[in-house]
Amino acid sequence: MVEKSINKNVPEILCSINRFINKVNIPGIAIGDALLIVFFSIMSDRFLSSYNLLSILRNSCTLMIAAVGLTWVILMSQNNVSVGAVVSMAAVMVPILNNKGLPMGIVLVMPMLMGLLVGFINGFLIAKMKFDYWVVTFGTMSLMTGLALVVANGETISTTSKFLNFIGNGKFAGIYIIIWLTAILVSIMLLIQRKTKFGYNIYSIGGSENVAAISGINVVDTRIKVHMISGLLAAIAGMATACMNVAGSPTVGNDYSFNAMAAVVLGGTAFAGGKGGIIGTVFGTLMLRILASGLSMMDIDSTWQKAIIGLVIVTLIVADVLNDQRKAVKGSRRIYRDVI
Amino acid sequence: MTVDESNVILKMTGITKRFPGTLALDKVQLTCERGKVHVLLGENGAGKSTLMKIISGEYQRDEGTVWFNGREVNFTNVRQAMAAGISMIHQELSLLPERTIAQNIYLGHEPEKEGFKGIVDQKKMVTDSKALMDSLGLDMDPQTSVKKLSIAQQQMVEVVKALSQEVRLVIMDEPTSSLTSREINKLFEIVERLKQNGTAIIYISHRMDEIKRIGDSITVMRDGQYIDTVSAAEADLDTLITMMVGRKIQKMYERNYREPGKVIFETDNLCGLRFRDVNIKVREGEIVSLSGLIGAGRTEFAKAVFGIDPIDAGCFKLYGRQINRIDPTNAIKYSMCLLPEDRKKEGLVLQTPIKENLTAACLKKTFKMGILRNKPENEIGEKYVRELRVATPNADKIVGELSGGNQQKVVIGKWLETGCKFLIFDEPTRGIDVGAKCEIYILLDSLVHQGYGILLITSELNEVIGISDRVYVMKDGEITGELTRDELSQDRIMRYAVGEGEVV
Ligand SMILES: Nc1ncnc2c1ncn2[C@@H]1O[C@H](COP(=O)(O)OP(=O)(O)OP(=O)(O)O)[C@@H](O)[C@H]1O
Ligand SMILES: [Mg+2]
């Protein structure tokens, strides 16, 4: 009798877990993250400590902000390789403006305006003037990379500011401020993506620009806004690195474009557009950082680390695509039974 | 014919539209009334879709005036036309496969939460689309994603989408081309209800039988020009066809039957995704039809035979060779090819010229030692443009710029060029005008005379009866009946198709 009820209850629990996963739409990559944590905990006894996990989280923040901004661009079946350059530019703007003795408000607003402006230029040239997005964003990438080096004179610029230091390295309720900030930003973006017409339109345009246009969606407008948001978030990511280091380097963003793209694609947002989203990118970013931390704790050479991370990216993308195909076949069977 | 001026909702005069190299519309006029169905007739490439896209704000006219709802309008984008109460069901499916039915229905005009501008009310969207579908007699879960639906179901979603906001004028550009009787009846009920509400409808179709059934008035176009407008009650089908193609069509279905030869295709208890225990055969010199309702499993059967979908059990023989597994790339080697149902997705590269599409399945003919020969490519291009009467200045035109029906002619040409002797045609005449249909029937007839064997999947009963030697009827994945040429009648086929064949 007792056994029976347990037998009945176990699948019920599994079902409700499954339902929960489906409801919040956790992508497969989250399970990958969990498996990696288990793997590295076994491989290295230093890995599974609250200190290390917290530092992985903290190291993920800046990339996560930039990658989340890039997600919508890729969701719209475009790309933006100028993310890294904007990160660098914003990172050097903060100490330079602060060293000039300007009020903190201006120090914080100016880099954001710069990000918005670069995003607007990208969006305007791509959506309105119909230039190719690779050409345009490569252009702004070169421009901003160069400008960042020029204004910083090719050097890392340090500054002193209690406030910036507090944002970058302070804690609130035992957790780094920077983690709180990232969580807030991601939550806002998630709400926009899931609840607003703007979010819906991003998916529609990514699914098919033509279908979106003939359904009355203002494609040009939406595209420009998405590029501006991508620029803004890249700038915020750059500012965050400046706060964490209390200094800005004109090359700090060099890896960001590629890493952000990897995080987005790992998270299940396809380059073809129309499916995926921010949650996936969050877990994609975490995966990159978990891998980096775990591999260095296993004392693996940093050059090998890159190769291994690359291999993992490729494997996961292939696995995801295969899984998707299988789902599609299964789905068509089920519908058949419903209808006939 | 006379028009009640007070009832007019749309009036277009002197509409001209040029595309590079094509005069798509030349001083065309059109007048629609509230509560009436206005049918637009014309061959493939006559300019019907182009005229509709001008009404819906997708294209801008070069000349002419448009009055809508009592004032002159000049829509520069789709949003303005939608706001004025115009919605359009496009000739090609315009849905997002990754999104749910509800999201597709309210695409671009999602309901907003009260008091929160720009916030989508998801609950309302789902309940509203459910209610809307219920009221139209459709039973689907609004939260299924569209990619899981059959083409017919997708088409119905498209209809619901067009009716999901206040409409004064609904444009239906070949809505029935992928539907069969059941869904068509449903659609016509919907049209009837719209009429009663005073909505005007513009209806485009190449199925002549539908036109008299639901049309109130008919406008005929040819080569971008306005020919005439007549009342549907008085119109006579033959005259309409002559007006449309500019010549007289003597006989729609031309068949010179011949004695069939040896069996070239034979299945042995074939089972697959949506069909079971299928035993059919096709002989040399035969046109064999596979009839049935949509969703009966016919397309799935064809796909499995061609190796696109897996075969679960059983096998089939081609020219005496037993085949258990096949994949589309080597099917041509067995002299078999399939003209797919969903041509856009499976049959054409839209951004390339006609001639490249025509030769895509037989590159051996145009490539010698890996180098492209222009001459054979051009010859093949010219040949099919001429034979299938593709409406285009030459074979260099980009396929995506052709009208819907002409794109389909290109796919047919592509498969004919492979020289395969056993052909499976899945809905070959869908969306093709009467003139070209007739042309295709003549072509099929001449093919079987040369020893080809043809398996024809079609939902048009007239076509089944007109040109088949034998007919198999499929229902829910099983063959329920076989009819020879002498036994063929609409009645018999339908009875097998709905499962009452044995009773009578
Ligand atoms: N975007 C475009 N660019 C160039 N030419 C075009 C374009 N759209 C249509 N055309 C041309 O305009 C003409 C009319 O095309 P349209 O699509 O209106 O025909 P249709 O009457 O709808 O035919 P069908 O019955 O085959 O759908 C065709 O010759 C076509 O090639
Ligand atoms: Mg058309």
Side-chain angles (χ1 to χ4, degrees):
Chain A
M1 175 71 198
V2 176
E3 255 185 35
K4 221 177 183 179
S5 75
I6 288 172
N7 270 349
K8 258 189 182 169
N9 281 338
V10 170
E12 183 51 39
I13 287 167
L14 282 182
C15 281
S16 56
I17 290 174
N18 194 28
R19 234 174 292 142
F20 176 76
I21 287 179
N22 281 341
K23 193 164 174 212
V24 294
N25 227 337
I26 289 178
I29 175 116
I31 298 161
D33 284 357
L35 289 179
L36 271 181
I37 290 179
V38 173
F39 173 76
F40 284 126
S41 309
I42 296 168
M43 297 307 287
S44 157
D45 47 4
R46 284 177 297 155
F47 185 81
L48 194 66
S49 66
S50 62
Y51 172 78
N52 189 43
L53 291 183
L54 208 58
S55 92
I56 289 177
L57 213 52
R58 179 168 183 250
N59 289 337
S60 306
C61 286
T62 53
L63 179 61
M64 196 178 288
I65 295 171
V68 160
L70 182 66
T71 307
W72 287 353
V73 179
I74 295 183
L75 206 49
M76 277 186 338
S77 68
Q78 295 195 331
N79 213 323
N80 177 9
V81 290
S82 70
V83 168
V86 172
V87 169
S88 298
M89 187 67 190
V92 293
M93 275 176 84
V94 170
I96 289 177
L97 293 173
N98 192 48
N99 288 349
K100 287 212 158 75
L102 290 164
M104 191 45 76
I106 292 184
V107 173
L108 294 182
V109 166
M110 290 301 279
M112 293 198 210
L113 287 179
M114 179 275 304
L116 283 171
L117 180 68
V118 174
F120 177 76
I121 293 172
N122 283 340
F124 183 81
L125 291 178
I126 294 167
K128 189 89 186 168
M129 310 301 288
K130 310 278 178 221
F131 284 113
D132 184 79
Y133 55 86
W134 290 113
V135 176
V136 170
T137 59
F138 262 115
T140 44
M141 176 188 84
S142 311
L143 180 71
M144 296 319 287
T145 310
L147 276 182
L149 284 167
V150 170
V151 295
N153 231 336
E155 290 162 8
T156 300
I157 297 165
S158 44
T159 184
T160 43
S161 157
K162 268 197 180 149
F163 179 74
L164 292 178
N165 188 31
F166 175 69
I167 298 279
N169 303 304
K171 283 185 179 182
F172 173 74
I175 293 174
Y176 286 106
I177 303 271
I178 208 80
I179 296 178
W180 286 113
L181 275 176
T182 310
I184 292 169
L185 271 176
V186 169
S187 308
I188 294 173
M189 293 283 284
L190 194 62
L191 279 178
I192 296 176
Q193 177 186 291
R194 288 208 177 152
K195 300 280 182 207
T196 67
K197 280 197 158 192
F198 180 70
Y200 273 63
N201 290 350
I202 295 172
Y203 278 98
S204 303
I205 293 172
S208 162
E209 173 164 359
N210 184 39
V211 170
I214 63 178
S215 304
I217 292 172
N218 194 335
V219 176
V220 173
D221 212 61
T222 311
R223 280 201 192 283
I224 293 179
K225 282 184 192 154
V226 166
H227 276 284
M228 287 174 72
I229 291 171
S230 175
L232 175 66
L233 288 193
I236 293 178
M239 291 161 68
T241 65
C243 292
M244 287 164 82
N245 303 329
V246 206
S249 148
T251 55
V252 68
N254 278 2
D255 282 343
Y256 271 72
S257 290
F258 176 75
N259 283 341
M261 250 182 258
V264 172
V265 176
L266 276 179
T269 304
F271 278 128
K275 62 174 182 176
I278 282 169
I279 286 281
T281 304
V282 168
F283 288 106
T285 316
L286 288 175
M287 174 164 287
L288 290 178
R289 293 308 191 219
I290 291 170
L291 272 171
S293 157
L295 289 175
S296 55
M297 283 198 175
M298 283 169 67
D299 295 322
I300 288 174
D301 198 55
S302 71
T303 42
W304 271 106
Q305 280 186 23
K306 271 205 167 173
I308 292 173
I309 291 178
L311 186 72
V312 170
I313 291 176
V314 172
T315 317
L316 281 173
I317 291 174
V318 169
D320 202 48
V321 169
L322 289 180
N323 183 45
D324 232 37
Q325 286 171 352
R326 223 200 52 222
K327 260 193 249 162
V329 170
K330 269 195 177 164
S332 63
R333 274 193 195 200
R334 209 191 58 228
I335 283 294
Y336 166 64
R337 259 190 251 125
D338 291 348
V339 173
I340 293 200
Chain B
M1 73 174 276
T2 53
V3 174
D4 176 5
E5 281 299 334
S6 67
N7 212 15
V8 167
I9 181 137
L10 173 81
K11 192 177 164 86
M12 305 174 89
T13 51
I15 305 291
T16 297
K17 173 74 187 173
R18 288 180 205 91
F19 289 114
T22 323
L23 180 59
L25 295 174
D26 183 10
K27 302 199 190 62
V28 174
Q29 64 187 70
L30 183 70
T31 307
C32 297
E33 291 174 76
R34 293 188 180 85
K36 294 276 165 68
V37 176
H38 195 109
V39 174
L40 203 52
L41 265 186
E43 282 186 293
N44 298 132
K48 305 179 295 293
S49 301
T50 307
L51 187 65
M52 295 304 104
K53 287 176 184 170
I54 286 174
I55 304 175
S56 76
E58 241 171 283
Y59 290 164
Q60 264 64 61
R61 58 185 184 269
D62 295 328
E63 285 162 33
T65 41
V66 180
W67 283 273
F68 186 75
N69 212 14
R71 58 193 179 90
E72 199 176 329
V73 290
N74 191 6
F75 301 129
T76 51
N77 60 41
V78 180
R79 258 163 291 140
Q80 295 170 359
M82 278 168 96
I86 298 174
S87 73
M88 174 156 170
I89 300 170
H90 281 79
Q91 187 170 6
E92 45 293 305
L93 280 174
S94 316
L95 299 174
L96 302 172
E98 297 290 341
R99 306 288 273 171
T100 66
I101 293 179
Q103 286 166 340
N104 269 287
I105 289 176
Y106 286 102
L107 187 62
H109 57 275
E110 293 86 359
E112 293 178 347
K113 275 220 170 84
E114 234 163 291
F116 296 93
K117 208 180 160 316
I119 308 285
V120 177
D121 191 340
Q122 281 152 328
K123 276 216 188 85
K124 187 166 160 28
M125 197 166 87
V126 171
T127 49
D128 280 7
S129 40
K130 183 80 190 137
L132 195 59
M133 285 195 291
D134 283 347
S135 77
L136 299 176
L138 297 170
D139 185 24
M140 290 188 260
D141 176 6
Q143 277 166 310
T144 8
S145 67
V146 160
K147 69 178 168 196
K148 294 179 184 166
L149 303 179
S150 71
I151 297 188
Q153 291 172 321
Q154 294 188 16
Q155 184 64 54
M156 293 312 276
V157 172
E158 196 99 39
V159 174
V160 182
K161 180 183 169 192
L163 303 180
S164 60
Q165 52 183 351
E166 285 274 320
V167 284
R168 294 199 170 94
L169 170 68
V170 184
I171 300 167
M172 301 188 174
D173 196 348
E174 295 194 36
T176 54
S177 67
S178 49
L179 304 179
T180 40
S181 339
R182 211 174 359 163
E183 288 95 345
I184 292 178
N185 287 337
K186 204 164 272 172
L187 180 74
F188 286 0
E189 277 169 29
I190 295 171
V191 167
E192 207 52 50
R193 215 171 318 155
L194 285 172
K195 277 172 73 169
Q196 270 152 26
N197 292 340
T199 310
I201 293 140
I202 302 182
Y203 189 89
I204 299 177
S205 174
H206 290 294
R207 295 188 165 180
M208 303 301 284
D209 51 330
E210 292 174 354
I211 285 160
K212 288 213 113 176
R213 217 172 121 194
I214 61 159
D216 292 304
S217 48
I218 303 174
T219 290
V220 182
M221 291 172 64
R222 185 168 75 227
D223 290 339
Q225 280 169 334
Y226 170 84
I227 303 294
D228 199 6
T229 301
V230 294
S231 126
E234 293 154 21
D236 151 72
L237 269 189
D238 283 339
T239 331
L240 284 176
I241 291 175
T242 313
M243 271 164 48
M244 196 172 136
V245 283
R247 69 196 146 90
K248 225 176 153 56
I249 291 185
Q250 298 297 343
K251 199 164 166 230
M252 198 60 198
Y253 304 103
E254 258 319 325
R255 266 313 298 274
N256 300 304
Y257 294 97
R258 58 164 268 187
E259 198 52 43
K262 60 177 199 292
V263 176
I264 52 180
F265 172 74
E266 190 174 8
T267 62
D268 181 15
N269 285 321
L270 208 62
C271 301
L273 202 54
R274 295 188 194 179
F275 59 89
R276 288 174 301 282
D277 302 324
V278 174
N279 289 303
I280 64 171
K281 53 173 170 268
V282 178
R283 286 171 294 183
E284 233 173 52
E286 257 190 334
I287 298 180
V288 176
S289 292
L290 193 54
S291 188
L293 299 177
I294 241 165
R298 297 170 301 159
T299 294
E300 289 74 11
F301 170 75
K303 280 185 161 176
V305 167
F306 198 60
I308 297 170
D309 288 348
I311 291 172
D312 292 345
C315 64
F316 62 92
K317 277 187 193 159
L318 267 175
Y319 289 96
R321 280 162 81 181
Q322 177 157 338
I323 291 164
N324 297 317
R325 277 182 68 109
I326 196 166
D327 71 275
T329 46
N330 68 13
I332 292 175
K333 271 194 230 136
Y334 293 101
S335 198
M336 165 169 74
C337 73
L338 166 73
L339 175 86
E341 176 186 40
D342 187 357
R343 277 158 271 255
K344 264 255 161 88
K345 217 166 80 197
E346 297 167 27
L348 287 173
V349 187
L350 290 174
Q351 309 86 339
T352 60
I354 297 172
K355 58 180 186 188
E356 279 178 30
N357 273 283
L358 280 170
T359 54
C362 53
L363 293 175
K364 266 199 195 121
K365 286 187 187 167
T366 51
F367 280 86
K368 283 238 170 67
M369 299 189 301
I371 294 166
L372 176 68
R373 299 292 154 123
N374 283 322
K375 209 171 147 223
E377 196 182 65
N378 288 336
E379 278 170 1
I380 292 169
E382 298 296 320
K383 183 173 125 204
Y384 285 104
V385 165
R386 200 173 51 240
E387 277 186 8
L388 299 175
R389 295 162 36 86
V390 181
T392 170
N394 54 49
D396 295 318
K397 195 166 170 127
I398 304 292
V399 167
E401 290 175 1
L402 290 176
S403 76
N406 282 303
Q407 292 184 2
Q408 306 197 6
K409 293 184 191 174
V410 175
V411 190
I412 295 182
K414 168 176 163 182
W415 291 116
L416 291 181
E417 186 51 34
T418 57
C420 292
K421 290 277 190 165
F422 175 56
L423 310 171
I424 307 176
F425 284 99
D426 198 355
E427 307 282 359
T429 56
R430 167 185 301 168
I432 287 188
D433 67 57
V434 269
K437 257 184 203 165
C438 189
E439 223 73 43
I440 286 173
Y441 298 143
I442 294 172
L443 189 83
L444 293 185
D445 185 55
S446 77
L447 288 176
V448 289
H449 265 267
Q450 295 160 37
Y452 285 67
I454 293 173
L455 182 64
L456 181 69
I457 299 175
T458 168
S459 307
E460 271 195 59
L461 284 180
N462 289 333
E463 200 168 289
V464 172
I465 293 163
I467 63 164
S468 326
D469 291 79
R470 248 164 354 102
V471 176
Y472 292 101
V473 187
M474 196 179 236
K475 176 187 176 275
D476 293 348
E478 285 176 88
I479 300 286
T480 50
E482 180 183 350
L483 296 163
T484 60
R485 177 152 46 98
D486 318 317
E487 299 167 342
L488 284 181
S489 76
Q490 293 225 359
D491 227 36
R492 285 214 181 100
I493 296 176
M494 277 319 285
R495 261 188 234 143
Y496 282 122
V498 297
E500 298 161 9
E502 306 85 356
V503 183
V504 184

